[in-house]
Amino acid sequence: MVKLHGGFRNFKESFTRAERRRVMESKKRNINPRLVANQVEQDFCDALKSGDLSWDDFPSIRGIFESTVDGGREMYQSWMGGSKERPVGVGIHESGVNLSSFSNIINQISFSRVMDEFNKPNLIGDSLVEVIPSDNEWEKLPGMGGIGDQAKAVNEGENYPIASLSEDFVITPETVKYGMIVPVTKEAILFDKTGLVLRRAGQVAEYLAINREKRILDVALGIIDVYNRKNRGVITTYGNDSGTHDFDNLAASNGLVDWTNVEAARLLFEDMTDPNDGEPVMIDAPKLIVPGALLDTAARIVSATEVREVSNTNTTTISANPIAERPEVMSNPYVKLRSGSATTWFYGDPQKAFGYLQNWAAESVQAPTNSHLEFTQDIAVMNKISERGVAFVKDPRYMMKCTA
């Protein structure tokens, strides 16, 4: 395991020895040295990926630069005007300096920061969708309608009936790319602005994660309507049975007060049927999505061990919590922010209802060394943090919107 206690001296010595072994191995195999990994560098990056080493553990970005760049210390001293080995102000990309190891490590630090932000437990968006990888800008996602109950009695010697399938598909919106570039400048190395670089990477990752959260919630909460089945045009995600919206998944006057409201939402699914086979819609993993004002109420309803009912004759009846299948309660401040309501809540199986078409997940990609940027902007290395995708509606019949 890579350790940084006591500064970078031991790390630099280990890295230098590994560099010599890398060069020797490349000569032995008669290949380019860059095709052979520096084991210390690889262990360092692996420790970041596994979580054994955190981006918080880095005491010095200058230390990484001096340890992994050949002549890095002398170069730093030249910027300060105190190096005898190099002329004052030597450029980062001059004299064939190899920044690949420094760039790789900075990229892994950046990627770890990205994962920290996108995996925060208070972001619920990714739990509401099925992520579907794609290499297209948009998809006509094929799906076959259920065959329905076509089972028939088969008499001895007769042929089995052939089950017929009806074509069904959903057209997604086009995916969109989001991202920003995080530079590591000469000043960041010179003045050892480790915190600034990490904070900048963290802020970029944070806002990308928040942007994705908002876009998913806008679709899941029905703020933006994108449901387009069989190319019939976009219809509202939530609505009453009227016009082109031939199903009812909008329950008005059903504010969340107690277990009876959850029951009312659940029972509405019994009137919902698959448009192809007429069979009831089945909810497998119910979730309760609420704004912050209803979070405590929802938690109390779901976690209660018993309920008490008082009749008009003041007779109290105590019974176990009647909710047979306890839904998972999900909430964060963006639920109210996007919906604009402190009383509207949602019930159902969101991963059956919604998807996220993803061209690529959140990633951090390092730019190749570029002397032009170093000369004009004093940028040593750059990392691009980006993701591309779009949220869409698979089948809104698996979700219910309830208003007070």
Side-chain angles (χ1 to χ4, degrees):
M1 175 182 172
V2 178
K3 295 183 181 298
L4 296 180
H5 300 300
F8 280 87
R9 182 174 180 180
N10 293 336
F11 173 74
K12 182 175 182 179
E13 292 175 352
S14 299
F15 181 87
T16 302
R17 286 195 298 269
E19 274 294 283
R20 287 197 292 265
R21 287 193 294 269
R22 183 173 71 87
V23 173
M24 291 174 60
E25 179 66 19
S26 67
K27 289 181 178 179
K28 181 180 177 181
R29 296 165 57 184
N30 194 28
I31 60 176
N32 191 316
R34 296 189 181 186
L35 298 179
V36 181
N38 179 305
Q39 193 59 49
V40 171
E41 174 192 338
Q42 184 170 316
D43 290 346
F44 195 93
C45 292
D46 288 344
L48 282 167
K49 291 179 183 178
S50 65
D52 291 337
L53 195 62
S54 167
W55 65 277
D56 289 314
D57 295 329
F58 293 94
S60 169
I61 199 170
R62 184 194 305 160
I64 299 175
F65 182 80
E66 292 183 4
S67 299
T68 60
V69 175
D70 184 26
R73 180 172 179 78
E74 291 79 9
M75 188 180 301
Y76 161 73
Q77 289 176 340
S78 79
W79 299 339
M80 301 294 290
S83 173
K84 298 179 181 179
E85 290 80 6
R86 290 178 180 269
V88 174
V90 65
I92 294 173
H93 298 287
E94 294 177 14
S95 305
V97 172
N98 182 8
L99 288 176
S100 61
S101 294
F102 176 69
S103 182
N104 287 341
I105 290 175
I106 294 299
N107 181 60
Q108 191 55 57
I109 295 172
S110 176
F111 179 74
S112 298
R113 193 67 181 95
V114 169
M115 291 300 97
D116 286 347
E117 292 299 331
F118 273 80
N119 292 327
K120 280 186 174 178
N122 58 354
L123 297 181
I124 64 175
D126 279 352
S127 299
L128 306 180
V129 295
E130 177 192 4
V131 177
I132 300 176
S134 172
D135 56 3
N136 295 315
E137 291 182 333
W138 62 276
E139 289 279 3
K140 175 183 175 181
L141 293 176
M144 304 307 294
I147 63 174
D149 186 3
Q150 299 184 35
K152 297 179 180 178
V154 181
N155 296 322
E156 183 178 356
E158 290 185 351
N159 294 327
Y160 284 88
I162 297 176
S164 60
L165 296 170
S166 58
E167 183 185 12
D168 201 356
F169 60 87
V170 171
I171 297 177
T172 75
E174 288 189 6
T175 60
V176 181
K177 177 173 60 180
Y178 301 87
M180 283 179 269
I181 289 175
V182 180
V184 178
T185 62
K186 179 177 179 179
E187 287 84 355
I189 300 171
L190 178 64
F191 303 122
D192 203 13
K193 295 183 178 180
T194 311
L196 175 63
V197 173
L198 297 178
R199 186 164 62 250
R200 186 178 294 149
Q203 287 175 341
V204 169
E206 178 184 11
Y207 284 113
L208 275 181
I210 288 173
N211 178 274
R212 178 179 171 120
E213 180 83 355
K214 290 177 181 179
R215 289 184 287 113
I216 291 176
L217 285 176
D218 281 352
V219 170
L221 304 182
I223 312 305
I224 297 176
D225 295 316
V226 296
Y227 181 50
N228 186 354
R229 176 174 170 261
K230 290 188 174 181
N231 208 23
R232 296 173 178 172
V234 174
I235 68 171
T236 57
T237 304
Y238 299 101
N240 295 314
D241 186 359
S242 62
T244 56
H245 200 285
D246 56 356
F247 55 94
D248 184 3
N249 64 345
L250 177 60
S253 301
N254 189 35
L256 188 62
V257 178
D258 56 31
W259 67 271
T260 61
N261 303 115
V262 178
E263 180 187 49
R266 178 177 57 80
L267 290 176
L268 286 174
F269 283 105
E270 295 192 358
D271 296 324
M272 199 92 67
T273 57
D274 185 286
N276 293 294
D277 57 35
E279 299 294 337
V281 168
M282 305 290 284
I283 303 299
D284 295 331
K287 288 181 170 62
L288 196 59
I289 307 170
V290 300
L294 296 178
L295 180 57
D296 293 336
T297 299
R300 172 177 53 81
I301 293 171
V302 171
S303 63
T305 57
E306 65 180 29
V307 296
R308 300 189 178 203
E309 296 182 83
V310 181
S311 68
N312 55 6
T313 60
N314 291 327
T315 300
T316 301
T317 302
I318 301 175
S319 60
N321 190 333
I323 300 179
E325 190 170 7
R326 310 288 178 91
E328 178 185 357
V329 178
M330 309 189 75
S331 177
N332 68 21
Y334 287 104
V335 174
K336 178 180 182 295
L337 180 66
R338 306 314 288 177
S339 71
S341 172
T343 57
T344 299
W345 56 286
F346 303 79
Y347 177 85
D349 193 341
Q351 289 193 340
K352 282 188 174 181
F354 309 111
Y356 191 84
L357 191 68
Q358 181 170 274
N359 294 138
W360 65 79
E363 63 180 8
S364 176
V365 180
Q366 65 189 59
T369 56
N370 190 319
S371 59
H372 172 70
L373 290 177
E374 189 273 333
F375 185 79
T376 59
Q377 300 180 41
D378 283 330
I379 293 175
V381 296
M382 290 193 304
N383 287 89
K384 178 178 65 183
I385 300 175
S386 69
E387 71 108 1
R388 179 166 181 147
V390 67
F392 68 97
V393 180
K394 294 191 295 181
D395 191 341
R397 294 167 182 81
Y398 286 93
M399 285 297 295
M400 190 70 59
K401 177 181 179 180
C402 300
T403 61

